Amino acid sequence: MRITLIDFLREAPGLVMLSSTAEYALRAVLYLAANNELTPIRAPDVAAALGIPANYLGKILHGLARAEVLRSARGKRGGFELAQPPENIPLLSVVSVFDRVGETRSCLLGRPECTDRHACAAHNRWKAVSEEIATFFRETTVAELLDSQGTLERRS
């Protein structure tokens, strides 16, 4: 079953282990990539399309611009656009502005120290999963999530 990117982005919250801020950032970047018109897109337009509070999204987009993931322009024709082609933007560069993905791994069971030497019951399995998650964000680009029609494939 194929869905439009905008439908996916509206239904996406909670799909990955990210803060809502990082999720909103990723959804907004994907939206901008799929709608890469000749003019920048205004923050309120992105917010309305994705169902995200406009003030909150505005702050997120400005954070992404400071991190040079996006470019912003003020004025009548202002708005936001990708700072580089989507194939050059790894997902990690988007979410790491707000979340620490893959840098450090906390204990799944909440122990203050959880290492290979002093492992909790979930350590070995969680270590493997968390390394795969970090690799996914490091090696997957924004372009890879989009196809030529700006849609995502949903597996049902």
Side-chain angles (χ1 to χ4, degrees):
M1 167 181 172
R2 292 184 67 78
I3 62 166
T4 65
L5 176 64
I6 193 70
D7 290 337
F8 173 82
L9 295 174
R10 280 192 177 133
E11 298 172 16
L15 292 180
V16 293
M17 296 170 28
L18 298 174
S19 67
S20 59
T21 304
E23 280 188 24
Y24 288 165
L26 188 54
R27 292 169 60 201
V29 167
L30 289 168
Y31 180 81
L32 292 170
N35 295 284
N36 59 348
E37 301 161 3
L38 298 176
T39 59
I41 301 173
R42 295 179 42 236
D45 296 335
V46 177
L50 299 178
I52 298 172
N55 287 340
Y56 188 34
L57 183 63
K59 292 175 184 176
I60 292 168
L61 295 175
H62 284 288
L64 290 168
R66 282 190 301 278
E68 299 180 354
V69 173
L70 300 179
R71 272 194 301 260
S72 66
R74 293 181 180 220
K76 187 176 180 179
R77 298 179 193 250
F80 293 88
E81 61 188 350
L82 300 181
Q84 50 190 307
E87 55 273 3
N88 294 342
I89 304 174
L91 300 183
L92 185 61
S93 68
V94 177
V95 299
S96 68
V97 175
F98 307 101
D99 284 1
R100 294 172 52 163
V101 177
E103 291 176 24
T104 59
R105 180 178 52 257
S106 59
C107 177
L108 191 61
L109 301 180
R111 291 176 56 183
E113 181 182 353
C114 187
T115 62
D116 289 340
R117 194 166 190 196
H118 302 301
C120 74
H123 180 79
N124 289 333
R125 293 190 71 187
W126 177 238
K127 178 181 175 183
V129 169
S130 63
E131 286 173 358
E132 283 186 48
I133 292 169
T135 298
F136 170 80
F137 282 104
R138 199 172 39 254
E139 295 179 2
T140 305
T141 67
V142 169
E144 288 177 284
L145 296 186
L146 302 173
D147 70 13
S148 60
Q149 285 79 44
T151 60
L152 292 171
E153 189 81 23
R154 173 181 278 171
R155 293 189 174 103
S156 47

